[in-house]
Amino acid sequence: MYRDLIIFEWRTLFGSTREESPNWPLDCIRNGMRTLSKGSRGADVTALQHALNARPYIHLIEDGEFGGKTESAVREFQQRVRLKADGIYGPQTDVLLWTRVLEAQALFAAPLQNSAAVSASATGTRPLSPLPKTPVPPASLKAPSTAGIVQQVSLGGQVALAPWLLRPAPAPNTPGGPIWSGVVSYALVYRTASSGPHVELALNPQLLVNSRVQGTDPRWGMQVNGQVTFADLVAPGRFHLVSPFLQATAAAALTPGVGFGGGFAIGNQVSFDLIPDRLQINLQGNVAAQWNNIGKPGASFSVLGQGAIGATVQF
């Protein structure tokens, strides 16, 4: 119902008679608009101006002409969503603009107030009528989710609990307890989508500064993790509650002495967006199997629980 109403209102406004696509302008929104810049003209410029007018700080005449005022409005929007403010309407600006328009229900709740240039007498149609105020946006209008590579830098801490299983068994009265670590890490992540349930493949080198329960425990260490995450299986609002992962680790102890190890882990990550797609708080828990000091007399195998908390910046 609402889909047909939007098509009618857009055709009433712009006088569209496109026979090749009876669903225009929904196809235009769904498939992504062409890149627009100063000097561009056409119905997709009018669509851009209409979407910009959904922002309370922008007031444009929807005339289909990409002039100086439209360019300034695009720049202002790009600045507010932390994109490069070049005044060019490309794919990234398109996704963020229409996402915010739909979240505000601007296509439904606000009358098209800036369309005085196209009158009922010029189009031969009846005047526009107000749209319903509280419909659910059609699925076909949702902003597209895109695959791609992102980079992440994290700062936080982690804890490795006393092993549940340790081979060879430690000598009697050997100190044991959780090992706390400060962690700085970088991750290169490929994700199959930018929103909704998706898969993430990550390569994650880390630098660790460890507490030492025993004198032989490393003070400084490095890890390289390869991780597969089934992200956002449950993700209401800014919360990402269910994102299970599988992880393989190669590790090097730097002091005292140099030793090498490795392991596998399975766990879940919970996160909260402080700034969507920019800054997150993350909490991880996992069960790990580890081999330490491989190739040395003190080599060991352990099964233990681990946890981590940190802040992640994404770009």
Side-chain angles (χ1 to χ4, degrees):
M1 170 183 174
Y2 298 130
R3 172 178 174 277
D4 293 337
L5 184 56
I6 291 171
I7 294 172
F8 170 77
E9 296 286 9
W10 275 73
R11 286 179 176 166
T12 301
L13 178 61
F14 303 128
S16 171
T17 57
R18 299 192 175 197
E19 297 178 357
E20 72 276 12
S21 179
N23 292 330
W24 187 90
L26 296 180
D27 288 342
C28 185
I29 298 170
R30 180 170 55 249
N31 297 329
M33 298 182 180
R34 62 186 172 107
T35 298
L36 304 175
S37 58
K38 192 172 183 178
S40 298
R41 297 182 177 183
D44 45 2
V45 176
T46 311
L48 167 61
Q49 291 168 331
H50 180 62
L52 287 168
N53 279 332
R55 316 299 294 174
Y57 52 85
I58 293 176
H59 306 281
L60 295 172
I61 295 175
E62 299 172 16
D63 57 4
E65 301 279 344
F66 198 118
K69 291 184 178 180
T70 301
E71 184 182 50
S72 297
V74 172
R75 287 181 188 275
E76 184 172 2
F77 175 78
Q78 289 170 327
Q79 289 174 346
R80 287 175 178 261
V81 295
R82 296 177 174 82
L83 292 176
K84 180 181 178 182
D86 56 7
I88 298 174
Y89 184 71
Q92 287 184 311
T93 307
D94 177 69
V95 169
L96 291 176
L97 177 62
W98 282 102
T99 298
R100 283 155 175 77
V101 169
L102 293 173
E103 287 176 348
Q105 296 186 348
L107 285 175
F108 302 92
L112 306 181
Q113 297 173 349
N114 298 307
S115 57
V118 184
S119 63
S121 59
T123 59
T125 59
R126 63 180 178 84
L128 299 178
S129 57
L131 292 172
K133 292 184 178 181
T134 56
V136 177
S140 61
L141 285 177
K142 291 182 179 178
S145 179
T146 56
I149 294 176
V150 296
Q151 301 177 75
Q152 298 174 345
V153 175
S154 301
L155 179 65
Q158 70 179 35
V159 58
L161 303 178
W164 304 325
L165 173 67
L166 180 61
R167 294 291 183 272
N173 301 319
T174 299
I179 298 177
W180 300 87
S181 306
V183 183
V184 178
S185 68
Y186 167 83
L188 189 64
V189 183
Y190 172 78
R191 58 188 186 184
T192 59
S194 58
S195 61
H198 61 282
V199 176
E200 295 182 355
L201 307 176
L203 184 64
N204 173 216
Q206 297 181 333
L207 176 65
L208 298 90
V209 183
N210 304 314
S211 64
R212 302 176 71 187
V213 176
Q214 303 181 59
T216 55
D217 290 338
R219 177 62 172 169
W220 295 86
M222 291 191 68
Q223 289 184 180
V224 177
N225 302 319
Q227 184 167 302
V228 180
T229 304
F230 303 93
D232 292 350
L233 301 187
V234 178
R238 293 192 177 192
F239 290 93
H240 308 264
L241 301 180
V242 179
S243 295
F245 63 85
L246 301 173
Q247 186 183 86
T249 300
L254 303 181
T255 58
V258 177
F260 298 95
F264 299 92
I266 181 170
N268 183 63
Q269 175 171 292
V270 177
S271 58
F272 174 76
D273 292 329
L274 294 177
I275 302 175
D277 280 336
R278 288 293 181 270
L279 179 61
Q280 284 186 335
I281 300 297
N282 302 310
L283 180 65
Q284 278 190 0
N286 67 67
V287 176
Q290 296 182 346
W291 290 263
N292 298 311
N293 296 316
I294 295 175
K296 290 188 174 183
S300 64
F301 170 77
S302 59
V303 178
L304 67 158
Q306 295 178 321
I309 187 171
T312 299
V313 177
Q314 180 172 285
F315 52 95

